[in-house]
């Protein structure tokens, strides 16, 4: 497998997000986001870590870009921290924050590294949640557009690849369905909530925000998380279950973006709990993405299963997820208990997007693995498990490209070991190890593997 295995112009990169790598969360004028507040509660992460410092990319972005250049990557996908630009959500601009992204972008451009910029990656300014419940309120649409507009005006002459929101489904599900992410809301959660309605309201406002920002901009995309759901058996009901699982995850967003309304399957099940698009909104949402980023890591088996203990977004699916079939695991397990190595899943996921959503231009926005086992130095550098994952998944991406899918790029998650949300620093997705006492970066074997695959010798 080499760069030449892919069509000319195919983009290789790595992805990160502001909150996970920048550190300096409470410095240089940045205002708190909902993750800062959430992490004040003890026990949110297993190692009681926060992202106040993380891997300090704020100061070490040159090292990081240099590392990307050495490997031969073409692009870097990062996100802009809303509360670093507007510490109070709107209004006063924090010049330090604005300058930081100028420095990062300029350095990248000077080294031929193309910026792929995401406007929102889980990090809502806390004040907007305090003032009006953030994503639960339609006011967020106006505020998000103002933030987006500011970014387009400020960096638009340098940045050509814009993305509105990373994984809106994760926000809706974990923020408001099971309370796993801030603002930690769900039925029975300590912060209140209603898992039967709030995920749908949040998703609706996320879609409207995406679409409203997109109308301000020429070329723009969105990033959607998509687990591949494979029927556990050949029974009709398990096929229907797999279909529902895909509609309730990817279809929830990509169906409106392609067709202007929610999937029929969802409408029939969720009924009046599913918000409606006005005719005007529907027109705005339809066709609002010029490129679809698919964040894909893993595949699960699903079967038909009715759980009506209480009404919730997840129970609406009528699906049971399993990680094995007749005692055979679906794939090797990663460190994260949600991640199994199932390379053929990425092929099916991509072909599904191609076939069902009008053959869109897409790219793999994230793909990667936290290797199980001892992740300390020097052992962490010998990450053959990770190499095998990338090699197998990339082969499957190539197969999809060969079969006509318009996949224009591939982004590994992630360059660095970084703050992995609820897992803190216990989970390590990097192809570069970071010693967090010195912040020294140590490329792992997977870095060298990528270099061999993509470096074009001139
Ligand atoms: C994705 C997130 C990203 C990272 C990876 C492992 O869902 O977008 O921030 O946490 O998972």
């Amino acid at each position: 497998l080499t760069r030449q295995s892919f069509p000319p112009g195919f983009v290789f990169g790595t992805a990160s997000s502001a909150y996970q790598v920048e550190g300096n969360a409470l410095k240089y004028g940045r205002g708190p986001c909902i993750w800062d507040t959430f992490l004040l509660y003890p026990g949110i992460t297993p190692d009681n870590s926060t992202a106040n410092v993380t891997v300090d990319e704020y100061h070490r972005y040159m090292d990081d870009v240099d590392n990307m250049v050495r490997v031969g990557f073409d692009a870097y996908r990062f996100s802009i921290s809303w509360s670093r630009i507007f510490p109070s959500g709107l209004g006063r601009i924090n010049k330090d924050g604005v300058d930081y992204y100028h420095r990062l972008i300029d350095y990248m451009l000077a080294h031929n590294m193309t910026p792929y910029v995401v406007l929102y990656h889980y990090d809502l300014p806390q004040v907007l949640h305090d003032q009006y419940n953030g994503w639960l309120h339609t006011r967020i649409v106006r505020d998000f557009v103002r933030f987006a507009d500011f970014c387009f005006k400020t960096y638009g002459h340098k940045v050509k690849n814009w993305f509105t929101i990373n994984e809106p489904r994760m926000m809706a599900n974990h923020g408001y369905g099971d309370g796993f992410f801030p603002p930690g809301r769900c039925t029975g959660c300590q912060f209140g909530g209603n898992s039967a309605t709030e995920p749908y309201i949040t998703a609706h406002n996320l879609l409207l925000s995406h679409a409203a920002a997109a109308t301000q901009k020429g070329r723009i995309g969105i990033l959607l998380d998509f687990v591949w759901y494979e029927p556990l058996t050949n029974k009709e009901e398990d096929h229907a279950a797999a279909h529902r699982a895909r509609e309730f995850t990817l279809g929830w967003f990509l169906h409106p973006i392609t067709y202007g309304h929610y999937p029929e399957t969802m409408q029939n099940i969720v009924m009046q709990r599913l918000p409606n698009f006005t005719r005007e909104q529907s027109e705005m949402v339809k066709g609002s993405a010029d490129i679809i980023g698919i964040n894909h890591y893993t595949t699960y088996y699903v079967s038909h299963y009715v759980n009506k203990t209480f009404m919730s977004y997840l129970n609406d699916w009528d699906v049971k997820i399993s990680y094995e079939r007749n005692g055979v695991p679906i794939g090797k397990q990663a460190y994260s208990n949600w991640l199994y190595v199932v390379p053929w899943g990425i092929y099916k996921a991509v072909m599904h997007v191609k076939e069902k959503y009008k053959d869109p231009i897409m790219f793999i926005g994230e793909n990667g693995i936290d290797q199980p086992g001892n992740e300390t130095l020097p052992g962490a550098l010998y990450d053959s498990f990770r190499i095998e994952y990338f090699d197998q998944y990339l082969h499957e991406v190539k197969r999809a490209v060969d079969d006509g899918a318009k996949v224009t790029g591939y982004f590994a998650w992630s360059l660095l070991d970084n703050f992995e949300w609820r897992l803190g620093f216990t989970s390590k997705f990097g192809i570069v190890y970071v010693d967090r006492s010195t912040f020294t970066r140590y490329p792992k074997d997977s870095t060298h593997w990528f270099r061999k695959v993509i470096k074009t010798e001139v």
Side-chain angles (χ1 to χ4, degrees), residues 264-337:
E264 279 76 15
T265 314
M266 286 185 77
Q267 292 186 32
N268 293 338
I269 295 171
V270 189
M271 296 197 280
Q272 69 284 1
R273 285 178 292 126
L274 197 62
N276 271 317
F277 293 113
T278 64
R279 183 190 288 266
E280 212 182 31
Q281 289 171 338
S282 160
E283 284 305 313
M284 179 178 76
V285 172
K286 187 175 168 180
S288 57
D290 305 295
I291 178 164
I292 307 295
I294 298 294
N295 293 355
H296 175 90
Y297 292 86
T298 197
T299 292
Y300 303 142
Y301 294 126
V302 287
S303 48
H304 178 75
Y305 177 80
V306 180
N307 173 4
K308 293 286 180 243
T309 46
F310 68 104
M311 205 186 253
S312 73
Y313 159 66
L314 285 178
N315 285 343
D316 283 339
W317 304 15
D318 286 343
V319 149
K320 185 176 161 208
I321 288 178
S322 18
Y323 310 115
E324 54 170 56
R325 182 189 264 162
N326 304 324
V328 182
I330 191 161
K332 288 186 201 161
Q333 209 192 331
Y335 174 84
S336 281
N337 62 11

Side-chain angles (χ1 to χ4, degrees), residues 207 210-211 214 220 222 224 246-247 249-264 267 277 281-294 352-362 406:
L207 272 164
H210 153 78
I220 196 157
I222 190 168
L224 303 173
R246 294 173 207 138
E247 295 291 74
T249 52
L250 181 79
W252 196 3
F253 298 91
L254 197 48
H255 202 96
I257 287 174
T258 313
Y259 302 105
H261 54 84
Y262 289 114
E264 279 76 15
Q267 292 186 32
F277 293 113
Q281 289 171 338
S282 160
E283 284 305 313
M284 179 178 76
V285 172
K286 187 175 168 180
S288 57
D290 305 295
I291 178 164
I292 307 295
I294 298 294
H352 177 81
V353 173
K354 172 183 166 60
E355 277 148 27
K356 219 178 140 131
Y357 300 100
K358 301 191 182 168
D359 200 8
I361 297 177
M362 52 181 138
K406 294 183 188 142

Side-chain angles (χ1 to χ4, degrees), residues 17 20 77 121-122 166-167 170 225 295 297 338 366 413 419-421 429:
S17 84
Q20 293 176 278
R77 193 203 117 187
H121 196 126
Y122 305 169
N166 178 71
E167 303 188 352
M170 295 289 277
D225 53 296
N295 293 355
Y297 292 86
W338 58 267
E366 289 179 23
W413 183 276
F419 179 75
E420 182 44 37
W421 310 115
F429 275 87

